[in-house]
Amino acid sequence: QQQVKQSPQSLIVQKGGISIINCAYENTAFDYFPWYQQFPGKGPALLIAIRPDVSEKKEGRFTISFNKSAKQFSLHIMDSQPGDSATYFCAASNPDKLIFGTGTRLQVFP
Amino acid sequence: DTAVSQTPKYLVTQMGNDKSIKCEQNLGHDTMYWYKQDSKKFLKIMFSYNNKELIINETVPNRFSPKSPDKAHLNLHINSLELGDSAVYFCASSQEGTGWNIQYFGAGTRLSVL
């Protein structure tokens, strides 16, 4: 019940395309859903986050869509760029800890 | 100025040795964490401390002992290192009470046990 399932494991997208990464959770006590971006040799960095009382949040080219009834949320990267190539982690939080998804390696080719 | 800094960045050691990883944050946060990232990139919490008090202690072997001398520092000591301990260890920090569990990560320490 503490798991967060993430798919796909890897994603290859052409420059300018849309990248979509999906996550699903079971525990309805989770109250905060962030996405982290990790470049090789670096630590994860917060990209965008959402609370379950909101169905969508957009920041620049990055959008989180949240479906509370389905217990699913997704990250959409519009106009994907080679610089977006990284590993993306969804996560879910109860008050004291983050449970991370298994990660998606995104490669954007020119 | 690096917000969350870890040392060393790389650590290569023999099985059976004892080693420590240090972490410091200059964000004024009151909560610090240790995560382990395995070869498949899976990121799992090990410990968290709030104001020097242990809050989370996941099912981690007791060869791993965190120590928080003050709220800006959280060190990780590992005894009797095993091959399976090879991984990247990340320190992170956050501020409790903001309503958002935003965690800031260090750059990681890559531990290789030979």
Side-chain angles (χ1 to χ4, degrees), chain A residues 67-83:
Chain A
N67 186 330
K68 189 173 179 178
S69 59
K71 290 187 278 188
Q72 294 174 348
F73 59 111
S74 59
L75 176 70
H76 295 234
I77 306 174
M78 310 300 286
D79 187 26
S80 299
Q81 299 296 311

Side-chain angles (χ1 to χ4, degrees), chain A residues 59-95:
Chain A
E59 288 182 2
R61 296 182 295 109
F62 301 91
T63 300
I64 300 178
S65 296
F66 190 87
N67 186 330
K68 189 173 179 178
S69 59
K71 290 187 278 188
Q72 294 174 348
F73 59 111
S74 59
L75 176 70
H76 295 234
I77 306 174
M78 310 300 286
D79 187 26
S80 299
Q81 299 296 311
D84 297 331
S85 297
T87 300
Y88 291 81
F89 294 93
C90 63
S93 175
N94 58 25

Side-chain angles (χ1 to χ4, degrees), chain A residues 32 36 38 41-44 46 49-51 57 87 89 93-98 100-102, chain B residues 9 33 35 37 40-43 45 48 55-56 58 90 99-107:
Chain A
Y32 166 71
Y36 278 78
Q38 184 180 22
K42 304 288 186 187
L46 179 68
I50 198 168
R51 285 210 183 279
K57 183 171 182 181
T87 300
F89 294 93
S93 175
N94 58 25
D96 58 355
K97 67 179 178 183
L98 286 178
F100 282 88
T102 48
Chain B
K9 188 164 177 63
Y33 311 81
Y35 285 85
Q37 187 171 50
K40 294 184 179 179
K41 296 281 194 180
F42 186 58
L43 200 60
I45 189 166
S48 82
I55 303 297
I56 294 172
E58 293 292 296
F90 286 101
W100 297 84
N101 188 356
I102 300 174
Q103 296 186 15
Y104 295 82
F105 284 77

